[in-house]
Amino acid sequence: MTIVTRFPPSPTGFMHIGTARTALFNWLFAKHHGGKMLFRIEDTDRARHSEEAVTALINSMKWLELDWDGDIVSQFEQRERHAEVARELLKSGKAYECYCTPEELSQMREQAKKEGRPVAYDRRWRDSKQTPPAGMKPAIRIKAPLDGASTVHDKVQGDVTVENTQLDDFIILRSDGTPTYMLSVVVDDHDMGVTHVIRGDDHLNNSFRQDVLYDAMGWKKPVYAHIPLILGPDGSKMSKRHGAASVEEYREMGYLPEAMRNYLLRLGWSHGDDEIISTAQAIEWFGLEHIQKSPARFDFAKLESVNAHYMKQAGNARLIDLAAPFMGVEIDALARERLLKGADELKGRAKTLKQFAAEGAFYAKKLPFDYDDKAREILAAGSAILAELEKALAALSSFTPEAIEAACKDIAQTHAEGKLGKVAMPLRAVITGTTVSPSVFHACAILGKEESLARIKAGRR
Ligand code: GLU
């Protein structure tokens, strides 16, 4: 049997990190079994539908490097097929027409609420001999079992049972002929050959109703795995309130996709105490049995440390490409060459691409450049030192980090009571325009003598 999973997001405008984790688990499970992951957009809510929201989902999947098999399926496009299944169920007596008016239904809802009953609709049209009211289009309702109990054998939650008295004869086709979500999901999953449904546990209750439809059609049910939601650090459902909740925001903060995958994997799945798990390793190890049953809390510090790890592992050329949009300055061939020389040091310090960019942008900057406020202050106070630096560095015949450092030490001896920082600080300010950077001696050596001297001159003015 080929394992087929699916990723069926509703296009809400962005991809929540919980949705991304669901996609990751489905993807890993399919890859582990040499199966397929299908991508379906649950776009039946036309009032709120937007193509940009679909594009946002696709872009997030691409950024996370989670690929899917076949074309993206639009649930809305399948609506005729969904309606056909509803009519089939009607014909086979597994469903029935209901002619209730909205007023009658709201009365029933109110009554049920008053009496604390979970099922509002009183099934008055089920097996009814009544003549349907003329000129009225019925809704089609499924016949849910009236007694007994139903059990979902969930791979994460275990066996979950409900009394069938909790299940209602829910609508599968509205009176306007449009299928309901519950029907569409089941028909699509069946038609797409889905074998495993791995999704958030907010859908666990839907499984019972969806199983009613599988049974009515005589279709094989999928294996279910309902994974706990992701919580914010304070234990409530992860949302914007806690900080970034969408994949796009993490991208914009400068996280690497492989770090995001590793972090999201560990947020709800474990392999012993392993924290750093490469994607290849994850594919080899992933299974439903180690998905945690209790919800995980998002930990920003941990994500950052995982990202720092992957920054160090990443190839320098790739890091420069990924960091370039964060630099705010054009990366020409010369800048690229310098950044390649400086990348090992930059990536050893940086927790994110943003930090890599902020601390490496000086390699790409061209004179005259803006100094930040702190740098400007240091430059104003250090003009005597800068004059000495200009002289000493101009006299160097070999422009190596060691030689530059030695020259700075000499100046420190003669002009700053031996304090190297008093010399290195203005040098850093003048070379980088900032006060935070990798070793300024390395930086000067990478920039070369001519550029370093030009920057010192420019900063002295
Ligand atoms: N469209 C649903 C959601 O985005 C997923 C439904 C499912 O996985 O069955 O939450």
mmCIF file with all atom_site columns, all heavy atoms in Angstrom, residues 361-386:
data_model
loop_
_atom_site.group_PDB
_atom_site.id
_atom_site.type_symbol
_atom_site.label_atom_id
_atom_site.label_alt_id
_atom_site.label_comp_id
_atom_site.label_asym_id
_atom_site.label_entity_id
_atom_site.label_seq_id
_atom_site.pdbx_PDB_ins_code
_atom_site.Cartn_x
_atom_site.Cartn_y
_atom_site.Cartn_z
_atom_site.occupancy
_atom_site.B_iso_or_equiv
_atom_site.pdbx_formal_charge
_atom_site.auth_seq_id
_atom_site.auth_comp_id
_atom_site.auth_asym_id
_atom_site.auth_atom_id
_atom_site.pdbx_PDB_model_num
ATOM 1   N N   . ALA A 1 361 ? 27.187 44.026 6.690  1.00 0.00 ? 361 ALA A N   1
ATOM 2   C CA  . ALA A 1 361 ? 26.845 44.999 5.636  1.00 0.00 ? 361 ALA A CA  1
ATOM 3   C C   . ALA A 1 361 ? 27.997 45.957 5.336  1.00 0.00 ? 361 ALA A C   1
ATOM 4   O O   . ALA A 1 361 ? 28.132 46.441 4.212  1.00 0.00 ? 361 ALA A O   1
ATOM 5   C CB  . ALA A 1 361 ? 25.587 45.779 6.030  1.00 0.00 ? 361 ALA A CB  1
ATOM 6   N N   . PHE A 1 362 ? 28.855 46.192 6.314  1.00 0.00 ? 362 PHE A N   1
ATOM 7   C CA  . PHE A 1 362 ? 29.949 47.158 6.089  1.00 0.00 ? 362 PHE A CA  1
ATOM 8   C C   . PHE A 1 362 ? 30.889 46.706 4.966  1.00 0.00 ? 362 PHE A C   1
ATOM 9   O O   . PHE A 1 362 ? 31.536 47.519 4.329  1.00 0.00 ? 362 PHE A O   1
ATOM 10  C CB  . PHE A 1 362 ? 30.739 47.399 7.384  1.00 0.00 ? 362 PHE A CB  1
ATOM 11  C CG  . PHE A 1 362 ? 31.643 46.270 7.772  1.00 0.00 ? 362 PHE A CG  1
ATOM 12  C CD1 . PHE A 1 362 ? 32.959 46.225 7.306  1.00 0.00 ? 362 PHE A CD1 1
ATOM 13  C CD2 . PHE A 1 362 ? 31.182 45.236 8.599  1.00 0.00 ? 362 PHE A CD2 1
ATOM 14  C CE1 . PHE A 1 362 ? 33.802 45.168 7.660  1.00 0.00 ? 362 PHE A CE1 1
ATOM 15  C CE2 . PHE A 1 362 ? 32.023 44.189 8.943  1.00 0.00 ? 362 PHE A CE2 1
ATOM 16  C CZ  . PHE A 1 362 ? 33.327 44.150 8.472  1.00 0.00 ? 362 PHE A CZ  1
ATOM 17  N N   . TYR A 1 363 ? 30.920 45.377 4.730  1.00 0.00 ? 363 TYR A N   1
ATOM 18  C CA  . TYR A 1 363 ? 31.764 44.912 3.625  1.00 0.00 ? 363 TYR A CA  1
ATOM 19  C C   . TYR A 1 363 ? 31.247 45.440 2.283  1.00 0.00 ? 363 TYR A C   1
ATOM 20  O O   . TYR A 1 363 ? 32.000 45.592 1.338  1.00 0.00 ? 363 TYR A O   1
ATOM 21  C CB  . TYR A 1 363 ? 31.800 43.382 3.576  1.00 0.00 ? 363 TYR A CB  1
ATOM 22  C CG  . TYR A 1 363 ? 32.693 42.746 4.619  1.00 0.00 ? 363 TYR A CG  1
ATOM 23  C CD1 . TYR A 1 363 ? 32.187 41.806 5.522  1.00 0.00 ? 363 TYR A CD1 1
ATOM 24  C CD2 . TYR A 1 363 ? 34.045 43.073 4.684  1.00 0.00 ? 363 TYR A CD2 1
ATOM 25  C CE1 . TYR A 1 363 ? 33.004 41.214 6.468  1.00 0.00 ? 363 TYR A CE1 1
ATOM 26  C CE2 . TYR A 1 363 ? 34.872 42.487 5.642  1.00 0.00 ? 363 TYR A CE2 1
ATOM 27  C CZ  . TYR A 1 363 ? 34.351 41.555 6.525  1.00 0.00 ? 363 TYR A CZ  1
ATOM 28  O OH  . TYR A 1 363 ? 35.163 40.977 7.461  1.00 0.00 ? 363 TYR A OH  1
ATOM 29  N N   . ALA A 1 364 ? 29.934 45.655 2.237  1.00 0.00 ? 364 ALA A N   1
ATOM 30  C CA  . ALA A 1 364 ? 29.318 46.067 0.976  1.00 0.00 ? 364 ALA A CA  1
ATOM 31  C C   . ALA A 1 364 ? 29.124 47.573 0.872  1.00 0.00 ? 364 ALA A C   1
ATOM 32  O O   . ALA A 1 364 ? 28.910 48.104 -0.211 1.00 0.00 ? 364 ALA A O   1
ATOM 33  C CB  . ALA A 1 364 ? 27.962 45.368 0.835  1.00 0.00 ? 364 ALA A CB  1
ATOM 34  N N   . LYS A 1 365 ? 29.218 48.251 2.017  1.00 0.00 ? 365 LYS A N   1
ATOM 35  C CA  . LYS A 1 365 ? 28.942 49.696 2.005  1.00 0.00 ? 365 LYS A CA  1
ATOM 36  C C   . LYS A 1 365 ? 30.021 50.462 1.238  1.00 0.00 ? 365 LYS A C   1
ATOM 37  O O   . LYS A 1 365 ? 31.173 50.064 1.206  1.00 0.00 ? 365 LYS A O   1
ATOM 38  C CB  . LYS A 1 365 ? 28.915 50.217 3.445  1.00 0.00 ? 365 LYS A CB  1
ATOM 39  C CG  . LYS A 1 365 ? 27.584 50.034 4.124  1.00 0.00 ? 365 LYS A CG  1
ATOM 40  C CD  . LYS A 1 365 ? 27.565 50.909 5.365  1.00 0.00 ? 365 LYS A CD  1
ATOM 41  C CE  . LYS A 1 365 ? 26.915 50.206 6.534  1.00 0.00 ? 365 LYS A CE  1
ATOM 42  N NZ  . LYS A 1 365 ? 27.265 50.813 7.801  1.00 0.00 ? 365 LYS A NZ  1
ATOM 43  N N   . LYS A 1 366 ? 29.591 51.556 0.659  1.00 0.00 ? 366 LYS A N   1
ATOM 44  C CA  . LYS A 1 366 ? 30.544 52.391 -0.076 1.00 0.00 ? 366 LYS A CA  1
ATOM 45  C C   . LYS A 1 366 ? 30.620 53.772 0.587  1.00 0.00 ? 366 LYS A C   1
ATOM 46  O O   . LYS A 1 366 ? 29.642 54.265 1.138  1.00 0.00 ? 366 LYS A O   1
ATOM 47  C CB  . LYS A 1 366 ? 30.054 52.563 -1.512 1.00 0.00 ? 366 LYS A CB  1
ATOM 48  C CG  . LYS A 1 366 ? 30.065 51.266 -2.308 1.00 0.00 ? 366 LYS A CG  1
ATOM 49  C CD  . LYS A 1 366 ? 30.406 51.544 -3.749 1.00 0.00 ? 366 LYS A CD  1
ATOM 50  C CE  . LYS A 1 366 ? 30.564 50.318 -4.613 1.00 0.00 ? 366 LYS A CE  1
ATOM 51  N NZ  . LYS A 1 366 ? 30.367 49.015 -4.073 1.00 0.00 ? 366 LYS A NZ  1
ATOM 52  N N   . LEU A 1 367 ? 31.775 54.377 0.509  1.00 0.00 ? 367 LEU A N   1
ATOM 53  C CA  . LEU A 1 367 ? 31.954 55.734 1.045  1.00 0.00 ? 367 LEU A CA  1
ATOM 54  C C   . LEU A 1 367 ? 31.245 56.744 0.154  1.00 0.00 ? 367 LEU A C   1
ATOM 55  O O   . LEU A 1 367 ? 31.209 56.532 -1.058 1.00 0.00 ? 367 LEU A O   1
ATOM 56  C CB  . LEU A 1 367 ? 33.445 56.068 1.104  1.00 0.00 ? 367 LEU A CB  1
ATOM 57  C CG  . LEU A 1 367 ? 34.242 55.382 2.207  1.00 0.00 ? 367 LEU A CG  1
ATOM 58  C CD1 . LEU A 1 367 ? 35.731 55.639 2.031  1.00 0.00 ? 367 LEU A CD1 1
ATOM 59  C CD2 . LEU A 1 367 ? 33.765 55.842 3.589  1.00 0.00 ? 367 LEU A CD2 1
ATOM 60  N N   . PRO A 1 368 ? 30.724 57.804 0.670  1.00 0.00 ? 368 PRO A N   1
ATOM 61  C CA  . PRO A 1 368 ? 30.656 58.090 2.102  1.00 0.00 ? 368 PRO A CA  1
ATOM 62  C C   . PRO A 1 368 ? 29.482 57.345 2.729  1.00 0.00 ? 368 PRO A C   1
ATOM 63  O O   . PRO A 1 368 ? 28.434 57.260 2.106  1.00 0.00 ? 368 PRO A O   1
ATOM 64  C CB  . PRO A 1 368 ? 30.393 59.599 2.121  1.00 0.00 ? 368 PRO A CB  1
ATOM 65  C CG  . PRO A 1 368 ? 29.640 59.849 0.852  1.00 0.00 ? 368 PRO A CG  1
ATOM 66  C CD  . PRO A 1 368 ? 30.106 58.844 -0.146 1.00 0.00 ? 368 PRO A CD  1
ATOM 67  N N   . PHE A 1 369 ? 29.679 56.788 3.933  1.00 0.00 ? 369 PHE A N   1
ATOM 68  C CA  . PHE A 1 369 ? 28.508 56.150 4.537  1.00 0.00 ? 369 PHE A CA  1
ATOM 69  C C   . PHE A 1 369 ? 28.084 56.746 5.862  1.00 0.00 ? 369 PHE A C   1
ATOM 70  O O   . PHE A 1 369 ? 28.838 57.499 6.484  1.00 0.00 ? 369 PHE A O   1
ATOM 71  C CB  . PHE A 1 369 ? 28.634 54.620 4.575  1.00 0.00 ? 369 PHE A CB  1
ATOM 72  C CG  . PHE A 1 369 ? 29.862 54.047 5.209  1.00 0.00 ? 369 PHE A CG  1
ATOM 73  C CD1 . PHE A 1 369 ? 30.092 54.129 6.569  1.00 0.00 ? 369 PHE A CD1 1
ATOM 74  C CD2 . PHE A 1 369 ? 30.778 53.353 4.425  1.00 0.00 ? 369 PHE A CD2 1
ATOM 75  C CE1 . PHE A 1 369 ? 31.202 53.548 7.144  1.00 0.00 ? 369 PHE A CE1 1
ATOM 76  C CE2 . PHE A 1 369 ? 31.900 52.769 5.004  1.00 0.00 ? 369 PHE A CE2 1
ATOM 77  C CZ  . PHE A 1 369 ? 32.125 52.870 6.362  1.00 0.00 ? 369 PHE A CZ  1
ATOM 78  N N   . ASP A 1 370 ? 26.854 56.382 6.225  1.00 0.00 ? 370 ASP A N   1
ATOM 79  C CA  . ASP A 1 370 ? 26.286 56.910 7.469  1.00 0.00 ? 370 ASP A CA  1
ATOM 80  C C   . ASP A 1 370 ? 26.858 56.141 8.648  1.00 0.00 ? 370 ASP A C   1
ATOM 81  O O   . ASP A 1 370 ? 26.893 54.927 8.618  1.00 0.00 ? 370 ASP A O   1
ATOM 82  C CB  . ASP A 1 370 ? 24.760 56.700 7.479  1.00 0.00 ? 370 ASP A CB  1
ATOM 83  C CG  . ASP A 1 370 ? 24.071 57.691 6.583  1.00 0.00 ? 370 ASP A CG  1
ATOM 84  O OD1 . ASP A 1 370 ? 24.656 58.764 6.352  1.00 0.00 ? 370 ASP A OD1 1
ATOM 85  O OD2 . ASP A 1 370 ? 22.954 57.381 6.121  1.00 0.00 ? 370 ASP A OD2 1
ATOM 86  N N   . TYR A 1 371 ? 27.272 56.854 9.656  1.00 0.00 ? 371 TYR A N   1
ATOM 87  C CA  . TYR A 1 371 ? 27.696 56.188 10.882 1.00 0.00 ? 371 TYR A CA  1
ATOM 88  C C   . TYR A 1 371 ? 26.504 56.164 11.808 1.00 0.00 ? 371 TYR A C   1
ATOM 89  O O   . TYR A 1 371 ? 25.713 57.105 11.820 1.00 0.00 ? 371 TYR A O   1
ATOM 90  C CB  . TYR A 1 371 ? 28.839 56.982 11.520 1.00 0.00 ? 371 TYR A CB  1
ATOM 91  C CG  . TYR A 1 371 ? 30.003 57.171 10.570 1.00 0.00 ? 371 TYR A CG  1
ATOM 92  C CD1 . TYR A 1 371 ? 30.093 58.320 9.775  1.00 0.00 ? 371 TYR A CD1 1
ATOM 93  C CD2 . TYR A 1 371 ? 30.979 56.198 10.439 1.00 0.00 ? 371 TYR A CD2 1
ATOM 94  C CE1 . TYR A 1 371 ? 31.130 58.492 8.886  1.00 0.00 ? 371 TYR A CE1 1
ATOM 95  C CE2 . TYR A 1 371 ? 32.020 56.358 9.538  1.00 0.00 ? 371 TYR A CE2 1
ATOM 96  C CZ  . TYR A 1 371 ? 32.093 57.511 8.754  1.00 0.00 ? 371 TYR A CZ  1
ATOM 97  O OH  . TYR A 1 371 ? 33.112 57.653 7.867  1.00 0.00 ? 371 TYR A OH  1
ATOM 98  N N   . ASP A 1 372 ? 26.372 55.086 12.576 1.00 0.00 ? 372 ASP A N   1
ATOM 99  C CA  . ASP A 1 372 ? 25.258 55.124 13.536 1.00 0.00 ? 372 ASP A CA  1
ATOM 100 C C   . ASP A 1 372 ? 25.653 56.045 14.697 1.00 0.00 ? 372 ASP A C   1
ATOM 101 O O   . ASP A 1 372 ? 26.797 56.505 14.779 1.00 0.00 ? 372 ASP A O   1
ATOM 102 C CB  . ASP A 1 372 ? 24.812 53.716 13.952 1.00 0.00 ? 372 ASP A CB  1
ATOM 103 C CG  . ASP A 1 372 ? 25.805 52.980 14.844 1.00 0.00 ? 372 ASP A CG  1
ATOM 104 O OD1 . ASP A 1 372 ? 26.638 53.641 15.511 1.00 0.00 ? 372 ASP A OD1 1
ATOM 105 O OD2 . ASP A 1 372 ? 25.748 51.732 14.869 1.00 0.00 ? 372 ASP A OD2 1
ATOM 106 N N   . ASP A 1 373 ? 24.678 56.337 15.563 1.00 0.00 ? 373 ASP A N   1
ATOM 107 C CA  . ASP A 1 373 ? 24.908 57.365 16.581 1.00 0.00 ? 373 ASP A CA  1
ATOM 108 C C   . ASP A 1 373 ? 26.087 57.054 17.488 1.00 0.00 ? 373 ASP A C   1
ATOM 109 O O   . ASP A 1 373 ? 26.900 57.936 17.787 1.00 0.00 ? 373 ASP A O   1
ATOM 110 C CB  . ASP A 1 373 ? 23.645 57.555 17.436 1.00 0.00 ? 373 ASP A CB  1
ATOM 111 C CG  . ASP A 1 373 ? 22.539 58.212 16.617 1.00 0.00 ? 373 ASP A CG  1
ATOM 112 O OD1 . ASP A 1 373 ? 22.865 58.732 15.517 1.00 0.00 ? 373 ASP A OD1 1
ATOM 113 O OD2 . ASP A 1 373 ? 21.376 58.194 17.057 1.00 0.00 ? 373 ASP A OD2 1
ATOM 114 N N   . LYS A 1 374 ? 26.176 55.812 17.900 1.00 0.00 ? 374 LYS A N   1
ATOM 115 C CA  . LYS A 1 374 ? 27.263 55.443 18.823 1.00 0.00 ? 374 LYS A CA  1
ATOM 116 C C   . LYS A 1 374 ? 28.607 55.572 18.123 1.00 0.00 ? 374 LYS A C   1
ATOM 117 O O   . LYS A 1 374 ? 29.574 56.035 18.716 1.00 0.00 ? 374 LYS A O   1
ATOM 118 C CB  . LYS A 1 374 ? 27.070 53.996 19.298 1.00 0.00 ? 374 LYS A CB  1
ATOM 119 C CG  . LYS A 1 374 ? 26.061 53.860 20.409 1.00 0.00 ? 374 LYS A CG  1
ATOM 120 C CD  . LYS A 1 374 ? 26.165 52.465 20.997 1.00 0.00 ? 374 LYS A CD  1
ATOM 121 C CE  . LYS A 1 374 ? 24.899 52.110 21.746 1.00 0.00 ? 374 LYS A CE  1
ATOM 122 N NZ  . LYS A 1 374 ? 24.654 50.672 21.728 1.00 0.00 ? 374 LYS A NZ  1
ATOM 123 N N   . ALA A 1 375 ? 28.663 55.144 16.868 1.00 0.00 ? 375 ALA A N   1
ATOM 124 C CA  . ALA A 1 375 ? 29.912 55.210 16.111 1.00 0.00 ? 375 ALA A CA  1
ATOM 125 C C   . ALA A 1 375 ? 30.340 56.670 15.970 1.00 0.00 ? 375 ALA A C   1
ATOM 126 O O   . ALA A 1 375 ? 31.513 57.011 16.128 1.00 0.00 ? 375 ALA A O   1
ATOM 127 C CB  . ALA A 1 375 ? 29.728 54.563 14.745 1.00 0.00 ? 375 ALA A CB  1
ATOM 128 N N   . ARG A 1 376 ? 29.357 57.521 15.706 1.00 0.00 ? 376 ARG A N   1
ATOM 129 C CA  . ARG A 1 376 ? 29.656 58.944 15.517 1.00 0.00 ? 376 ARG A CA  1
ATOM 130 C C   . ARG A 1 376 ? 30.274 59.540 16.779 1.00 0.00 ? 376 ARG A C   1
ATOM 131 O O   . ARG A 1 376 ? 31.245 60.286 16.725 1.00 0.00 ? 376 ARG A O   1
ATOM 132 C CB  . ARG A 1 376 ? 28.359 59.676 15.129 1.00 0.00 ? 376 ARG A CB  1
ATOM 133 C CG  . ARG A 1 376 ? 28.639 60.965 14.379 1.00 0.00 ? 376 ARG A CG  1
ATOM 134 C CD  . ARG A 1 376 ? 27.382 61.538 13.790 1.00 0.00 ? 376 ARG A CD  1
ATOM 135 N NE  . ARG A 1 376 ? 26.896 60.759 12.669 1.00 0.00 ? 376 ARG A NE  1
ATOM 136 C CZ  . ARG A 1 376 ? 25.618 60.457 12.484 1.00 0.00 ? 376 ARG A CZ  1
ATOM 137 N NH1 . ARG A 1 376 ? 24.706 60.824 13.354 1.00 0.00 ? 376 ARG A NH1 1
ATOM 138 N NH2 . ARG A 1 376 ? 25.259 59.777 11.431 1.00 0.00 ? 376 ARG A NH2 1
ATOM 139 N N   . GLU A 1 377 ? 29.732 59.168 17.901 1.00 0.00 ? 377 GLU A N   1
ATOM 140 C CA  . GLU A 1 377 ? 30.251 59.642 19.197 1.00 0.00 ? 377 GLU A CA  1
ATOM 141 C C   . GLU A 1 377 ? 31.702 59.210 19.385 1.00 0.00 ? 377 GLU A C   1
ATOM 142 O O   . GLU A 1 377 ? 32.547 60.008 19.803 1.00 0.00 ? 377 GLU A O   1
ATOM 143 C CB  . GLU A 1 377 ? 29.450 58.982 20.324 1.00 0.00 ? 377 GLU A CB  1
ATOM 144 C CG  . GLU A 1 377 ? 28.608 59.912 21.145 1.00 0.00 ? 377 GLU A CG  1
ATOM 145 C CD  . GLU A 1 377 ? 27.702 59.092 22.056 1.00 0.00 ? 377 GLU A CD  1
ATOM 146 O OE1 . GLU A 1 377 ? 28.232 58.403 22.957 1.00 0.00 ? 377 GLU A OE1 1
ATOM 147 O OE2 . GLU A 1 377 ? 26.468 59.133 21.830 1.00 0.00 ? 377 GLU A OE2 1
ATOM 148 N N   . ILE A 1 378 ? 31.951 57.942 19.093 1.00 0.00 ? 378 ILE A N   1
ATOM 149 C CA  . ILE A 1 378 ? 33.307 57.403 19.271 1.00 0.00 ? 378 ILE A CA  1
ATOM 150 C C   . ILE A 1 378 ? 34.283 58.099 18.324 1.00 0.00 ? 378 ILE A C   1
ATOM 151 O O   . ILE A 1 378 ? 35.406 58.435 18.704 1.00 0.00 ? 378 ILE A O   1
ATOM 152 C CB  . ILE A 1 378 ? 33.299 55.874 19.047 1.00 0.00 ? 378 ILE A CB  1
ATOM 153 C CG1 . ILE A 1 378 ? 32.552 55.203 20.207 1.00 0.00 ? 378 ILE A CG1 1
ATOM 154 C CG2 . ILE A 1 378 ? 34.714 55.314 18.916 1.00 0.00 ? 378 ILE A CG2 1
ATOM 155 C CD1 . ILE A 1 378 ? 32.237 53.759 19.987 1.00 0.00 ? 378 ILE A CD1 1
ATOM 156 N N   . LEU A 1 379 ? 33.823 58.353 17.115 1.00 0.00 ? 379 LEU A N   1
ATOM 157 C CA  . LEU A 1 379 ? 34.690 59.022 16.135 1.00 0.00 ? 379 LEU A CA  1
ATOM 158 C C   . LEU A 1 379 ? 35.045 60.431 16.603 1.00 0.00 ? 379 LEU A C   1
ATOM 159 O O   . LEU A 1 379 ? 36.189 60.869 16.490 1.00 0.00 ? 379 LEU A O   1
ATOM 160 C CB  . LEU A 1 379 ? 34.006 59.094 14.771 1.00 0.00 ? 379 LEU A CB  1
ATOM 161 C CG  . LEU A 1 379 ? 33.860 57.760 14.030 1.00 0.00 ? 379 LEU A CG  1
ATOM 162 C CD1 . LEU A 1 379 ? 33.231 57.980 12.649 1.00 0.00 ? 379 LEU A CD1 1
ATOM 163 C CD2 . LEU A 1 379 ? 35.209 57.073 13.871 1.00 0.00 ? 379 LEU A CD2 1
ATOM 164 N N   . ALA A 1 380 ? 34.051 61.129 17.141 1.00 0.00 ? 380 ALA A N   1
ATOM 165 C CA  . ALA A 1 380 ? 34.283 62.500 17.587 1.00 0.00 ? 380 ALA A CA  1
ATOM 166 C C   . ALA A 1 380 ? 35.321 62.533 18.702 1.00 0.00 ? 380 ALA A C   1
ATOM 167 O O   . ALA A 1 380 ? 36.189 63.411 18.737 1.00 0.00 ? 380 ALA A O   1
ATOM 168 C CB  . ALA A 1 380 ? 32.961 63.113 18.062 1.00 0.00 ? 380 ALA A CB  1
ATOM 169 N N   . ALA A 1 381 ? 35.245 61.519 19.574 1.00 0.00 ? 381 ALA A N   1
ATOM 170 C CA  . ALA A 1 381 ? 36.166 61.505 20.721 1.00 0.00 ? 381 ALA A CA  1
ATOM 171 C C   . ALA A 1 381 ? 37.540 60.954 20.345 1.00 0.00 ? 381 ALA A C   1
ATOM 172 O O   . ALA A 1 381 ? 38.520 61.172 21.065 1.00 0.00 ? 381 ALA A O   1
ATOM 173 C CB  . ALA A 1 381 ? 35.560 60.666 21.848 1.00 0.00 ? 381 ALA A CB  1
ATOM 174 N N   . GLY A 1 382 ? 37.624 60.263 19.215 1.00 0.00 ? 382 GLY A N   1
ATOM 175 C CA  . GLY A 1 382 ? 38.869 59.543 18.942 1.00 0.00 ? 382 GLY A CA  1
ATOM 176 C C   . GLY A 1 382 ? 39.679 60.086 17.786 1.00 0.00 ? 382 GLY A C   1
ATOM 177 O O   . GLY A 1 382 ? 40.444 59.344 17.157 1.00 0.00 ? 382 GLY A O   1
ATOM 178 N N   . SER A 1 383 ? 39.574 61.392 17.515 1.00 0.00 ? 383 SER A N   1
ATOM 179 C CA  . SER A 1 383 ? 40.228 61.897 16.303 1.00 0.00 ? 383 SER A CA  1
ATOM 180 C C   . SER A 1 383 ? 41.753 61.805 16.379 1.00 0.00 ? 383 SER A C   1
ATOM 181 O O   . SER A 1 383 ? 42.413 61.534 15.378 1.00 0.00 ? 383 SER A O   1
ATOM 182 C CB  . SER A 1 383 ? 39.754 63.315 15.988 1.00 0.00 ? 383 SER A CB  1
ATOM 183 O OG  . SER A 1 383 ? 40.110 64.155 17.049 1.00 0.00 ? 383 SER A OG  1
ATOM 184 N N   . ALA A 1 384 ? 42.313 61.954 17.570 1.00 0.00 ? 384 ALA A N   1
ATOM 185 C CA  . ALA A 1 384 ? 43.771 61.849 17.702 1.00 0.00 ? 384 ALA A CA  1
ATOM 186 C C   . ALA A 1 384 ? 44.224 60.429 17.378 1.00 0.00 ? 384 ALA A C   1
ATOM 187 O O   . ALA A 1 384 ? 45.200 60.213 16.656 1.00 0.00 ? 384 ALA A O   1
ATOM 188 C CB  . ALA A 1 384 ? 44.187 62.228 19.117 1.00 0.00 ? 384 ALA A CB  1
ATOM 189 N N   . ILE A 1 385 ? 43.481 59.475 17.909 1.00 0.00 ? 385 ILE A N   1
ATOM 190 C CA  . ILE A 1 385 ? 43.801 58.062 17.655 1.00 0.00 ? 385 ILE A CA  1
ATOM 191 C C   . ILE A 1 385 ? 43.677 57.762 16.158 1.00 0.00 ? 385 ILE A C   1
ATOM 192 O O   . ILE A 1 385 ? 44.507 57.058 15.576 1.00 0.00 ? 385 ILE A O   1
ATOM 193 C CB  . ILE A 1 385 ? 42.841 57.144 18.466 1.00 0.00 ? 385 ILE A CB  1
ATOM 194 C CG1 . ILE A 1 385 ? 43.008 57.360 19.971 1.00 0.00 ? 385 ILE A CG1 1
ATOM 195 C CG2 . ILE A 1 385 ? 43.019 55.683 18.069 1.00 0.00 ? 385 ILE A CG2 1
ATOM 196 C CD1 . ILE A 1 385 ? 44.201 56.689 20.610 1.00 0.00 ? 385 ILE A CD1 1
ATOM 197 N N   . LEU A 1 386 ? 42.633 58.307 15.536 1.00 0.00 ? 386 LEU A N   1
ATOM 198 C CA  . LEU A 1 386 ? 42.429 58.044 14.103 1.00 0.00 ? 386 LEU A CA  1
ATOM 199 C C   . LEU A 1 386 ? 43.601 58.570 13.269 1.00 0.00 ? 386 LEU A C   1
ATOM 200 O O   . LEU A 1 386 ? 44.027 57.933 12.310 1.00 0.00 ? 386 LEU A O   1
ATOM 201 C CB  . LEU A 1 386 ? 41.112 58.660 13.630 1.00 0.00 ? 386 LEU A CB  1
ATOM 202 C CG  . LEU A 1 386 ? 39.841 57.937 14.091 1.00 0.00 ? 386 LEU A CG  1
ATOM 203 C CD1 . LEU A 1 386 ? 38.601 58.738 13.724 1.00 0.00 ? 386 LEU A CD1 1
ATOM 204 C CD2 . LEU A 1 386 ? 39.756 56.538 13.497 1.00 0.00 ? 386 LEU A CD2 1
#
